Amino acid sequence: EFPGAFATPPSHAMLMTPKVLKQICKETKLYSTPYLNDKLYLHYKGFERIENLEEYTGLRSIYLEGNGLIAIEGLDALTELRCLFLQENCIEEITGLDSLVQLDTLNVANNQITHVSGLAALSVLHTLNLSHNRLATAEDLEGLAECPSIAVLDLSHNQLDDPSAIDALAALPNLAVLNLMGNPLIAKVRRYRKTLVSLLPNLRYLDDRPVFDDERRTVMAWKRGGPEAEKAEREAIRQEKETAHRRNMEAMDQIMADGRKKLVARLRAEGQDAAADAAERDGMVFLAEGTGRVPEDGISAKLNADAAVVIAAAAQQETTAAPEADEEDDDEVNSDDLPALDAESESSLTVVPVPISVEVAPGPVIDPTDVPPLEADTEESDRDILSDID
């Protein structure tokens, strides 16, 4: 009855036709020739089925998340596929992957999967994301044993509440990263973290924390002999760290001693005996000639202010003799008679403020009785002045 109205409501699902696929390739700046593409972006398009991909034989990554897919199908021709992203769909079972023998990453998070299956052909699968699904029991995880190559497994935010479900993970000898956060079983497994670390020998990351070597050592000791063995292992680790730290400090001291010997030898070869003596006496490594330059032999050094003054003074005594002052000018020093300092010595001198004390001689003491009284005329004149002011 209304203009433009449909007799039947249109379907909102988009069909994955060859024309639509080529149009998407054009929009995403991919090749119009299907087999030349190594990736394909089909996410958030509203597809309900995977189809018409037979010509895309060169694909290595395909993005199908955010559609309305209810099954994994139509992928048999994609034998070169490495990454398959199917999260945020309506998939209930893992199927249709038998031809993807080179698949490395499979993401089926946020679906409706109730049990793990269909992984037997994926001999090199490395990463499997099953988070936010409907896995609940130990039986639901038995299909993981079909794919022992899995190294990264995300089972977070499922409905796993049976503590025996963790036994299914023991069938994954290469498992290095495991996420079980958001599952009820975490609260039901006694000593949850220790149990998982001891169960999985190659585990390097559990939930939101890494598994360091020290933690693994203490956990394995706990597994062998309980809390006492764990405590002993912690003490052994502490002793090892202290020993390693002491060895590092001794090695650093040796390096500094060797550098000091080299510097002293070079200073003596250059005729700087005073500087060499100061370096040997104080046990410090100085920069060459106090100039702030790193020595040419690469020895790391730090200039010590006090030692620099000593070196500069010694060098000055060797090179310049102070002139003797005339006896008649003992009380007066002429600035022209002072020895000239080079820039190197000037930089090492320190100006020390000298306090000056000034003594004030006391004046004569006046006795009030010795002051003569004012004369009468003076008093009358003072009263007249005050009356005028009033």
Side-chain angles (χ1 to χ4, degrees), residues 222-362:
W222 167 80
K223 184 179 181 181
R224 292 191 305 266
E228 292 299 326
E230 179 184 0
K231 183 178 180 181
E233 190 67 24
R234 291 186 186 277
E235 179 62 22
I237 293 173
R238 187 184 67 81
Q239 292 290 344
E240 291 174 5
K241 290 183 177 180
E242 289 183 357
T243 301
H245 178 70
R246 184 172 61 255
R247 289 176 179 173
N248 291 337
M249 296 303 296
E250 291 174 354
M252 179 58 68
D253 292 341
Q254 186 61 43
I255 292 173
M256 294 177 65
D258 294 342
R260 182 164 54 250
K261 291 179 181 179
K262 292 181 180 179
L263 181 58
V264 169
R266 184 170 63 80
L267 291 175
R268 293 197 184 283
E270 295 176 354
Q272 302 184 45
D273 293 335
D277 292 341
E280 287 182 334
R281 180 179 64 254
D282 299 333
M284 301 177 182
V285 180
F286 308 109
L287 293 180
E289 302 177 359
T291 60
R293 295 183 289 103
V294 177
E296 295 178 357
D297 53 7
I299 301 173
S300 176
K302 179 180 179 181
L303 180 62
N304 181 278
D306 296 333
V309 174
V310 174
I311 294 172
Q316 186 67 26
Q317 290 178 1
E318 291 181 357
T319 56
T320 306
E324 297 181 358
D326 296 336
E327 293 182 358
E328 60 185 12
D329 297 330
D330 288 340
D331 297 334
E332 182 178 356
V333 178
N334 189 353
S335 60
D336 296 333
D337 296 333
L338 293 176
L341 296 179
D342 53 11
E344 184 176 328
S345 299
E346 283 186 325
S347 63
S348 63
L349 294 179
T350 303
V351 179
V352 180
V354 179
I356 300 175
S357 59
V358 180
E359 295 183 0
V360 180

Side-chain angles (χ1 to χ4, degrees), residues 34-50:
Y35 67 85
L36 294 178
N37 293 295
D38 61 353
K39 54 184 174 292
L40 191 58
Y41 302 105
L42 304 178
H43 53 299
Y44 300 104
K45 301 297 183 182
F47 296 127
E48 289 184 349
R49 293 189 61 187
I50 305 173

